[in-house]
Amino acid sequence: AVNFSVLDDIVGLYDPVRVDNQELTQNNLFETLETSVSDIDRHNIEALESRKDVIQTFAYVVLKKMIFSFWKWRELSEIITDSLNHKELLLAFESRSLANKVDHFGWDGSIPDDETTKYPLDRLVVNVSNFGGMKSDRYITREVHYTVDLSGSDIYADAEITLRHNGDYNTPLSGQYKGYVRLFVPMGAELVESSTGASTQEYISSHVGWGDIVQFEPGESVTLTYRLKLNPDYFEENEYHLYVVKQPGTENDYYEVVFKTEVGQGFESNDFETRENVAFFQSTLDQDKQLDLTVLPDEIGPRIFWHEITALNQIDIAFAENLDTSSAEDPLNYEITDLDFNDESITDTITIDYIEVWNGHVRIHTRGMDYQDEEHFQVFMRNIRDQSGNYITPNPRTVTVVQRL
């Protein structure tokens, strides 16, 4: 399988190439061949039957130049190798030994599966097929945004695929684009929802996928979104490996991959930019890319970022991460004291009625608090832990809340 860009590069090496009194260059090759094939008398049977003869003649002339221009063999070799590495040229052999060789180098366009990987290797495959959009693929750009959330007990991913048509109305080259967009991940994943609500489920070689028909005009774009529940078997306790498959025959596809984990945890990676509990990769893909990531353990105690008296006898404290509920809702871990900051004549004796805890939020319900505008109260806390077992720092600690009701 040969993408047209390979022919462009090869013709550029021998530029110009003369075929049937036509001078072909890297710049005019595509339009000249396309015109020769399509601009014919369509009611002339002989013209219809011979309309692609120019391609056969062109191939003969180019192959002859490739063989006999020995002084350009090194440059030709570099073009071919580069085309193979970037999946602009794919090879298939009936010979098992040759097939294994090209598979080893990734030159056959195959996708890794569980039988060929040494460790759990998650995969992301996006494929766009032209369903009658003329040659508009030459003018289509593709963006893939893929976000994986590791913060919960289940692992979810959000995929967003955007296609933009940068062409014009130029029949038979460019016009309305009709295509079929598919997203594949390893078996065991589930589709939670998609933007169309009518995605077709498909299977290929140990992968499950979902596809949608798209149709849009030059100058327009279309975006598809998919929310997935991923197979947890591809996520080890601390290690994660994602293999992003570049679609053969496309150029400069933009990918953004983002991973998020619990606040307090972190990432370590040579492939991702890491920022606290977020890691992200951004690049245009010219070949398949494996992304490796290590999740670092949470060794930081829960941080308080907000505390306030939200109603009479109600104190709210917000932490930056989920808390261990048993420690956070234990009244014995708190004491509330009136600091007599505003009115020394009134000293409230505060007792704790009960405590609500959800995620990182603590709501302390008390008794004994009177209306004292701008009065300060001290909240004493001890042994409050996050879900990784880290205690607040310092332990114990105090915060001050002000009554402004």
PDB file of all heavy atoms in Angstrom, residues 39-68:
ATOM      1  N   ASP A  39     -10.680  13.751 -16.501  1.00  0.00           N
ATOM      2  CA  ASP A  39     -11.135  14.705 -17.518  1.00  0.00           C
ATOM      3  C   ASP A  39     -11.137  14.019 -18.888  1.00  0.00           C
ATOM      4  O   ASP A  39     -10.242  14.194 -19.712  1.00  0.00           O
ATOM      5  CB  ASP A  39     -10.211  15.928 -17.522  1.00  0.00           C
ATOM      6  CG  ASP A  39     -10.734  17.022 -18.450  1.00  0.00           C
ATOM      7  OD1 ASP A  39     -11.873  16.886 -18.941  1.00  0.00           O
ATOM      8  OD2 ASP A  39      -9.992  17.993 -18.697  1.00  0.00           O
ATOM      9  N   ILE A  40     -12.186  13.199 -19.112  1.00  0.00           N
ATOM     10  CA  ILE A  40     -12.276  12.405 -20.346  1.00  0.00           C
ATOM     11  C   ILE A  40     -13.706  12.462 -20.886  1.00  0.00           C
ATOM     12  O   ILE A  40     -14.623  12.948 -20.213  1.00  0.00           O
ATOM     13  CB  ILE A  40     -11.894  10.932 -20.093  1.00  0.00           C
ATOM     14  CG1 ILE A  40     -12.845  10.318 -19.056  1.00  0.00           C
ATOM     15  CG2 ILE A  40     -10.445  10.793 -19.648  1.00  0.00           C
ATOM     16  CD1 ILE A  40     -12.716   8.838 -18.916  1.00  0.00           C
ATOM     17  N   ASP A  41     -13.872  11.937 -22.079  1.00  0.00           N
ATOM     18  CA  ASP A  41     -15.204  11.787 -22.665  1.00  0.00           C
ATOM     19  C   ASP A  41     -15.847  10.549 -22.032  1.00  0.00           C
ATOM     20  O   ASP A  41     -15.509   9.406 -22.375  1.00  0.00           O
ATOM     21  CB  ASP A  41     -15.081  11.629 -24.180  1.00  0.00           C
ATOM     22  CG  ASP A  41     -16.449  11.500 -24.858  1.00  0.00           C
ATOM     23  OD1 ASP A  41     -17.474  11.398 -24.135  1.00  0.00           O
ATOM     24  OD2 ASP A  41     -16.485  11.479 -26.099  1.00  0.00           O
ATOM     25  N   ARG A  42     -16.761  10.742 -21.100  1.00  0.00           N
ATOM     26  CA  ARG A  42     -17.315   9.631 -20.331  1.00  0.00           C
ATOM     27  C   ARG A  42     -18.325   8.800 -21.129  1.00  0.00           C
ATOM     28  O   ARG A  42     -18.819   7.789 -20.627  1.00  0.00           O
ATOM     29  CB  ARG A  42     -17.942  10.154 -19.035  1.00  0.00           C
ATOM     30  CG  ARG A  42     -16.898  10.760 -18.108  1.00  0.00           C
ATOM     31  CD  ARG A  42     -17.431  11.118 -16.760  1.00  0.00           C
ATOM     32  NE  ARG A  42     -16.349  11.551 -15.888  1.00  0.00           N
ATOM     33  CZ  ARG A  42     -15.596  10.745 -15.142  1.00  0.00           C
ATOM     34  NH1 ARG A  42     -15.819   9.445 -15.180  1.00  0.00           N
ATOM     35  NH2 ARG A  42     -14.626  11.213 -14.397  1.00  0.00           N
ATOM     36  N   HIS A  43     -18.647   9.227 -22.358  1.00  0.00           N
ATOM     37  CA  HIS A  43     -19.522   8.428 -23.221  1.00  0.00           C
ATOM     38  C   HIS A  43     -18.728   7.697 -24.296  1.00  0.00           C
ATOM     39  O   HIS A  43     -19.303   7.059 -25.173  1.00  0.00           O
ATOM     40  CB  HIS A  43     -20.579   9.329 -23.868  1.00  0.00           C
ATOM     41  CG  HIS A  43     -21.486   9.972 -22.871  1.00  0.00           C
ATOM     42  ND1 HIS A  43     -22.497   9.294 -22.240  1.00  0.00           N
ATOM     43  CD2 HIS A  43     -21.504  11.240 -22.366  1.00  0.00           C
ATOM     44  CE1 HIS A  43     -23.115  10.110 -21.397  1.00  0.00           C
ATOM     45  NE2 HIS A  43     -22.534  11.298 -21.453  1.00  0.00           N
ATOM     46  N   ASN A  44     -17.401   7.783 -24.184  1.00  0.00           N
ATOM     47  CA  ASN A  44     -16.513   7.092 -25.120  1.00  0.00           C
ATOM     48  C   ASN A  44     -15.968   5.861 -24.405  1.00  0.00           C
ATOM     49  O   ASN A  44     -15.191   5.972 -23.451  1.00  0.00           O
ATOM     50  CB  ASN A  44     -15.374   8.027 -25.544  1.00  0.00           C
ATOM     51  CG  ASN A  44     -14.481   7.406 -26.595  1.00  0.00           C
ATOM     52  OD1 ASN A  44     -14.068   6.255 -26.478  1.00  0.00           O
ATOM     53  ND2 ASN A  44     -14.160   8.179 -27.628  1.00  0.00           N
ATOM     54  N   ILE A  45     -16.402   4.681 -24.830  1.00  0.00           N
ATOM     55  CA  ILE A  45     -16.016   3.442 -24.140  1.00  0.00           C
ATOM     56  C   ILE A  45     -14.504   3.257 -24.136  1.00  0.00           C
ATOM     57  O   ILE A  45     -13.903   2.869 -23.127  1.00  0.00           O
ATOM     58  CB  ILE A  45     -16.712   2.228 -24.801  1.00  0.00           C
ATOM     59  CG1 ILE A  45     -18.223   2.345 -24.626  1.00  0.00           C
ATOM     60  CG2 ILE A  45     -16.197   0.930 -24.199  1.00  0.00           C
ATOM     61  CD1 ILE A  45     -19.007   1.243 -25.310  1.00  0.00           C
ATOM     62  N   GLU A  46     -13.871   3.532 -25.250  1.00  0.00           N
ATOM     63  CA  GLU A  46     -12.419   3.372 -25.338  1.00  0.00           C
ATOM     64  C   GLU A  46     -11.708   4.313 -24.366  1.00  0.00           C
ATOM     65  O   GLU A  46     -10.746   3.917 -23.697  1.00  0.00           O
ATOM     66  CB  GLU A  46     -11.946   3.644 -26.769  1.00  0.00           C
ATOM     67  CG  GLU A  46     -10.450   3.427 -26.961  1.00  0.00           C
ATOM     68  CD  GLU A  46     -10.006   3.688 -28.396  1.00  0.00           C
ATOM     69  OE1 GLU A  46     -10.886   3.847 -29.269  1.00  0.00           O
ATOM     70  OE2 GLU A  46      -8.781   3.732 -28.618  1.00  0.00           O
ATOM     71  N   ALA A  47     -12.198   5.555 -24.271  1.00  0.00           N
ATOM     72  CA  ALA A  47     -11.586   6.513 -23.342  1.00  0.00           C
ATOM     73  C   ALA A  47     -11.763   6.068 -21.900  1.00  0.00           C
ATOM     74  O   ALA A  47     -10.856   6.186 -21.076  1.00  0.00           O
ATOM     75  CB  ALA A  47     -12.191   7.891 -23.554  1.00  0.00           C
ATOM     76  N   LEU A  48     -12.940   5.522 -21.587  1.00  0.00           N
ATOM     77  CA  LEU A  48     -13.188   5.034 -20.231  1.00  0.00           C
ATOM     78  C   LEU A  48     -12.268   3.877 -19.874  1.00  0.00           C
ATOM     79  O   LEU A  48     -11.727   3.796 -18.776  1.00  0.00           O
ATOM     80  CB  LEU A  48     -14.648   4.606 -20.078  1.00  0.00           C
ATOM     81  CG  LEU A  48     -15.676   5.717 -19.865  1.00  0.00           C
ATOM     82  CD1 LEU A  48     -17.091   5.141 -19.933  1.00  0.00           C
ATOM     83  CD2 LEU A  48     -15.448   6.397 -18.527  1.00  0.00           C
ATOM     84  N   GLU A  49     -12.094   2.950 -20.816  1.00  0.00           N
ATOM     85  CA  GLU A  49     -11.288   1.766 -20.540  1.00  0.00           C
ATOM     86  C   GLU A  49      -9.799   2.090 -20.426  1.00  0.00           C
ATOM     87  O   GLU A  49      -9.061   1.406 -19.726  1.00  0.00           O
ATOM     88  CB  GLU A  49     -11.523   0.723 -21.638  1.00  0.00           C
ATOM     89  CG  GLU A  49     -12.921   0.116 -21.602  1.00  0.00           C
ATOM     90  CD  GLU A  49     -13.139  -0.884 -22.726  1.00  0.00           C
ATOM     91  OE1 GLU A  49     -12.310  -0.905 -23.665  1.00  0.00           O
ATOM     92  OE2 GLU A  49     -14.137  -1.638 -22.663  1.00  0.00           O
ATOM     93  N   SER A  50      -9.354   3.135 -21.102  1.00  0.00           N
ATOM     94  CA  SER A  50      -7.924   3.439 -21.117  1.00  0.00           C
ATOM     95  C   SER A  50      -7.558   4.625 -20.238  1.00  0.00           C
ATOM     96  O   SER A  50      -6.411   5.087 -20.261  1.00  0.00           O
ATOM     97  CB  SER A  50      -7.476   3.722 -22.552  1.00  0.00           C
ATOM     98  OG  SER A  50      -8.150   4.865 -23.077  1.00  0.00           O
ATOM     99  N   ARG A  51      -8.515   5.117 -19.447  1.00  0.00           N
ATOM    100  CA  ARG A  51      -8.273   6.356 -18.736  1.00  0.00           C
ATOM    101  C   ARG A  51      -7.160   6.255 -17.689  1.00  0.00           C
ATOM    102  O   ARG A  51      -6.568   7.255 -17.327  1.00  0.00           O
ATOM    103  CB  ARG A  51      -9.561   6.852 -18.077  1.00  0.00           C
ATOM    104  CG  ARG A  51     -10.101   5.975 -16.960  1.00  0.00           C
ATOM    105  CD  ARG A  51     -11.524   6.382 -16.591  1.00  0.00           C
ATOM    106  NE  ARG A  51     -12.056   5.594 -15.487  1.00  0.00           N
ATOM    107  CZ  ARG A  51     -12.056   5.987 -14.231  1.00  0.00           C
ATOM    108  NH1 ARG A  51     -11.545   7.161 -13.908  1.00  0.00           N
ATOM    109  NH2 ARG A  51     -12.563   5.216 -13.283  1.00  0.00           N
ATOM    110  N   LYS A  52      -6.852   5.041 -17.220  1.00  0.00           N
ATOM    111  CA  LYS A  52      -5.809   4.902 -16.208  1.00  0.00           C
ATOM    112  C   LYS A  52      -4.491   4.380 -16.790  1.00  0.00           C
ATOM    113  O   LYS A  52      -3.565   4.067 -16.043  1.00  0.00           O
ATOM    114  CB  LYS A  52      -6.280   3.984 -15.072  1.00  0.00           C
ATOM    115  CG  LYS A  52      -7.426   4.596 -14.261  1.00  0.00           C
ATOM    116  CD  LYS A  52      -7.738   3.792 -13.020  1.00  0.00           C
ATOM    117  CE  LYS A  52      -8.829   4.469 -12.194  1.00  0.00           C
ATOM    118  NZ  LYS A  52      -9.122   3.739 -10.935  1.00  0.00           N
ATOM    119  N   ASP A  53      -4.396   4.312 -18.103  1.00  0.00           N
ATOM    120  CA  ASP A  53      -3.156   3.846 -18.736  1.00  0.00           C
ATOM    121  C   ASP A  53      -1.982   4.745 -18.386  1.00  0.00           C
ATOM    122  O   ASP A  53      -0.842   4.292 -18.302  1.00  0.00           O
ATOM    123  CB  ASP A  53      -3.328   3.775 -20.256  1.00  0.00           C
ATOM    124  CG  ASP A  53      -4.222   2.611 -20.682  1.00  0.00           C
ATOM    125  OD1 ASP A  53      -4.600   1.822 -19.793  1.00  0.00           O
ATOM    126  OD2 ASP A  53      -4.530   2.515 -21.885  1.00  0.00           O
ATOM    127  N   VAL A  54      -2.248   6.038 -18.191  1.00  0.00           N
ATOM    128  CA  VAL A  54      -1.172   6.974 -17.888  1.00  0.00           C
ATOM    129  C   VAL A  54      -0.468   6.594 -16.585  1.00  0.00           C
ATOM    130  O   VAL A  54       0.736   6.800 -16.433  1.00  0.00           O
ATOM    131  CB  VAL A  54      -1.715   8.424 -17.815  1.00  0.00           C
ATOM    132  CG1 VAL A  54      -2.705   8.588 -16.668  1.00  0.00           C
ATOM    133  CG2 VAL A  54      -0.577   9.420 -17.653  1.00  0.00           C
ATOM    134  N   ILE A  55      -1.213   6.002 -15.658  1.00  0.00           N
ATOM    135  CA  ILE A  55      -0.606   5.605 -14.390  1.00  0.00           C
ATOM    136  C   ILE A  55       0.374   4.455 -14.613  1.00  0.00           C
ATOM    137  O   ILE A  55       1.470   4.415 -14.033  1.00  0.00           O
ATOM    138  CB  ILE A  55      -1.697   5.211 -13.367  1.00  0.00           C
ATOM    139  CG1 ILE A  55      -2.579   6.430 -13.069  1.00  0.00           C
ATOM    140  CG2 ILE A  55      -1.081   4.664 -12.090  1.00  0.00           C
ATOM    141  CD1 ILE A  55      -3.736   6.132 -12.143  1.00  0.00           C
ATOM    142  N   GLN A  56      -0.009   3.507 -15.459  1.00  0.00           N
ATOM    143  CA  GLN A  56       0.888   2.390 -15.764  1.00  0.00           C
ATOM    144  C   GLN A  56       2.152   2.897 -16.460  1.00  0.00           C
ATOM    145  O   GLN A  56       3.262   2.487 -16.120  1.00  0.00           O
ATOM    146  CB  GLN A  56       0.159   1.383 -16.654  1.00  0.00           C
ATOM    147  CG  GLN A  56       0.995   0.149 -16.981  1.00  0.00           C
ATOM    148  CD  GLN A  56       0.201  -0.878 -17.789  1.00  0.00           C
ATOM    149  OE1 GLN A  56      -1.000  -0.741 -17.947  1.00  0.00           O
ATOM    150  NE2 GLN A  56       0.881  -1.878 -18.298  1.00  0.00           N
ATOM    151  N   THR A  57       1.985   3.812 -17.406  1.00  0.00           N
ATOM    152  CA  THR A  57       3.151   4.383 -18.100  1.00  0.00           C
ATOM    153  C   THR A  57       4.021   5.164 -17.127  1.00  0.00           C
ATOM    154  O   THR A  57       5.258   5.062 -17.149  1.00  0.00           O
ATOM    155  CB  THR A  57       2.681   5.310 -19.239  1.00  0.00           C
ATOM    156  OG1 THR A  57       1.788   4.593 -20.089  1.00  0.00           O
ATOM    157  CG2 THR A  57       3.860   5.815 -20.043  1.00  0.00           C
ATOM    158  N   PHE A  58       3.387   5.935 -16.271  1.00  0.00           N
ATOM    159  CA  PHE A  58       4.115   6.710 -15.270  1.00  0.00           C
ATOM    160  C   PHE A  58       4.933   5.779 -14.362  1.00  0.00           C
ATOM    161  O   PHE A  58       6.106   6.026 -14.080  1.00  0.00           O
ATOM    162  CB  PHE A  58       3.126   7.532 -14.439  1.00  0.00           C
ATOM    163  CG  PHE A  58       3.663   8.024 -13.130  1.00  0.00           C
ATOM    164  CD1 PHE A  58       4.552   9.090 -13.083  1.00  0.00           C
ATOM    165  CD2 PHE A  58       3.285   7.424 -11.936  1.00  0.00           C
ATOM    166  CE1 PHE A  58       5.051   9.540 -11.874  1.00  0.00           C
ATOM    167  CE2 PHE A  58       3.773   7.862 -10.729  1.00  0.00           C
ATOM    168  CZ  PHE A  58       4.659   8.929 -10.693  1.00  0.00           C
ATOM    169  N   ALA A  59       4.298   4.691 -13.902  1.00  0.00           N
ATOM    170  CA  ALA A  59       4.994   3.752 -13.013  1.00  0.00           C
ATOM    171  C   ALA A  59       6.213   3.148 -13.710  1.00  0.00           C
ATOM    172  O   ALA A  59       7.286   2.998 -13.098  1.00  0.00           O
ATOM    173  CB  ALA A  59       4.032   2.654 -12.567  1.00  0.00           C
ATOM    174  N   TYR A  60       6.079   2.815 -14.992  1.00  0.00           N
ATOM    175  CA  TYR A  60       7.185   2.226 -15.742  1.00  0.00           C
ATOM    176  C   TYR A  60       8.355   3.215 -15.825  1.00  0.00           C
ATOM    177  O   TYR A  60       9.511   2.852 -15.597  1.00  0.00           O
ATOM    178  CB  TYR A  60       6.723   1.833 -17.144  1.00  0.00           C
ATOM    179  CG  TYR A  60       7.834   1.365 -18.050  1.00  0.00           C
ATOM    180  CD1 TYR A  60       8.321   0.058 -17.947  1.00  0.00           C
ATOM    181  CD2 TYR A  60       8.408   2.223 -18.991  1.00  0.00           C
ATOM    182  CE1 TYR A  60       9.354  -0.369 -18.767  1.00  0.00           C
ATOM    183  CE2 TYR A  60       9.431   1.800 -19.809  1.00  0.00           C
ATOM    184  CZ  TYR A  60       9.904   0.501 -19.690  1.00  0.00           C
ATOM    185  OH  TYR A  60      10.939   0.079 -20.494  1.00  0.00           O
ATOM    186  N   VAL A  61       8.061   4.468 -16.134  1.00  0.00           N
ATOM    187  CA  VAL A  61       9.119   5.483 -16.267  1.00  0.00           C
ATOM    188  C   VAL A  61       9.822   5.705 -14.925  1.00  0.00           C
ATOM    189  O   VAL A  61      11.052   5.773 -14.845  1.00  0.00           O
ATOM    190  CB  VAL A  61       8.525   6.802 -16.803  1.00  0.00           C
ATOM    191  CG1 VAL A  61       9.576   7.918 -16.775  1.00  0.00           C
ATOM    192  CG2 VAL A  61       7.990   6.610 -18.208  1.00  0.00           C
ATOM    193  N   VAL A  62       9.050   5.801 -13.857  1.00  0.00           N
ATOM    194  CA  VAL A  62       9.638   6.060 -12.541  1.00  0.00           C
ATOM    195  C   VAL A  62      10.473   4.872 -12.070  1.00  0.00           C
ATOM    196  O   VAL A  62      11.580   5.041 -11.536  1.00  0.00           O
ATOM    197  CB  VAL A  62       8.526   6.390 -11.519  1.00  0.00           C
ATOM    198  CG1 VAL A  62       9.094   6.450 -10.104  1.00  0.00           C
ATOM    199  CG2 VAL A  62       7.868   7.723 -11.860  1.00  0.00           C
ATOM    200  N   LEU A  63       9.960   3.658 -12.265  1.00  0.00           N
ATOM    201  CA  LEU A  63      10.726   2.474 -11.861  1.00  0.00           C
ATOM    202  C   LEU A  63      12.049   2.394 -12.626  1.00  0.00           C
ATOM    203  O   LEU A  63      13.096   2.027 -12.066  1.00  0.00           O
ATOM    204  CB  LEU A  63       9.909   1.207 -12.110  1.00  0.00           C
ATOM    205  CG  LEU A  63       8.803   0.918 -11.085  1.00  0.00           C
ATOM    206  CD1 LEU A  63       7.934  -0.246 -11.559  1.00  0.00           C
ATOM    207  CD2 LEU A  63       9.419   0.593  -9.732  1.00  0.00           C
ATOM    208  N   LYS A  64      12.013   2.743 -13.881  1.00  0.00           N
ATOM    209  CA  LYS A  64      13.238   2.733 -14.689  1.00  0.00           C
ATOM    210  C   LYS A  64      14.259   3.709 -14.124  1.00  0.00           C
ATOM    211  O   LYS A  64      15.454   3.396 -14.011  1.00  0.00           O
ATOM    212  CB  LYS A  64      12.890   3.078 -16.136  1.00  0.00           C
ATOM    213  CG  LYS A  64      14.037   2.909 -17.117  1.00  0.00           C
ATOM    214  CD  LYS A  64      13.555   3.148 -18.541  1.00  0.00           C
ATOM    215  CE  LYS A  64      14.709   3.005 -19.542  1.00  0.00           C
ATOM    216  NZ  LYS A  64      14.252   3.251 -20.923  1.00  0.00           N
ATOM    217  N   LYS A  65      13.801   4.893 -13.733  1.00  0.00           N
ATOM    218  CA  LYS A  65      14.700   5.880 -13.147  1.00  0.00           C
ATOM    219  C   LYS A  65      15.238   5.395 -11.800  1.00  0.00           C
ATOM    220  O   LYS A  65      16.404   5.597 -11.461  1.00  0.00           O
ATOM    221  CB  LYS A  65      13.986   7.215 -12.974  1.00  0.00           C
ATOM    222  CG  LYS A  65      13.825   8.004 -14.280  1.00  0.00           C
ATOM    223  CD  LYS A  65      13.222   9.365 -14.026  1.00  0.00           C
ATOM    224  CE  LYS A  65      13.186  10.190 -15.318  1.00  0.00           C
ATOM    225  NZ  LYS A  65      14.550  10.572 -15.752  1.00  0.00           N
ATOM    226  N   MET A  66      14.388   4.753 -11.018  1.00  0.00           N
ATOM    227  CA  MET A  66      14.814   4.242  -9.713  1.00  0.00           C
ATOM    228  C   MET A  66      15.917   3.193  -9.870  1.00  0.00           C
ATOM    229  O   MET A  66      16.849   3.144  -9.063  1.00  0.00           O
ATOM    230  CB  MET A  66      13.609   3.649  -8.966  1.00  0.00           C
ATOM    231  CG  MET A  66      12.581   4.679  -8.520  1.00  0.00           C
ATOM    232  SD  MET A  66      11.011   3.941  -7.995  1.00  0.00           S
ATOM    233  CE  MET A  66      11.532   2.967  -6.589  1.00  0.00           C
ATOM    234  N   ILE A  67      15.811   2.358 -10.890  1.00  0.00           N
ATOM    235  CA  ILE A  67      16.785   1.274 -11.084  1.00  0.00           C
ATOM    236  C   ILE A  67      18.098   1.793 -11.652  1.00  0.00           C
ATOM    237  O   ILE A  67      19.187   1.451 -11.170  1.00  0.00           O
ATOM    238  CB  ILE A  67      16.186   0.187 -12.007  1.00  0.00           C
ATOM    239  CG1 ILE A  67      15.003  -0.502 -11.308  1.00  0.00           C
ATOM    240  CG2 ILE A  67      17.251  -0.837 -12.402  1.00  0.00           C
ATOM    241  CD1 ILE A  67      14.202  -1.408 -12.220  1.00  0.00           C
ATOM    242  N   PHE A  68      18.008   2.655 -12.668  1.00  0.00           N
ATOM    243  CA  PHE A  68      19.231   3.025 -13.391  1.00  0.00           C
ATOM    244  C   PHE A  68      19.906   4.299 -12.879  1.00  0.00           C
ATOM    245  O   PHE A  68      21.075   4.546 -13.225  1.00  0.00           O
ATOM    246  CB  PHE A  68      18.917   3.161 -14.890  1.00  0.00           C
ATOM    247  CG  PHE A  68      18.566   1.864 -15.542  1.00  0.00           C
ATOM    248  CD1 PHE A  68      17.260   1.564 -15.894  1.00  0.00           C
ATOM    249  CD2 PHE A  68      19.557   0.907 -15.772  1.00  0.00           C
ATOM    250  CE1 PHE A  68      16.936   0.354 -16.486  1.00  0.00           C
ATOM    251  CE2 PHE A  68      19.238  -0.303 -16.367  1.00  0.00           C
ATOM    252  CZ  PHE A  68      17.925  -0.585 -16.725  1.00  0.00           C
TER     253      PHE A  68
END
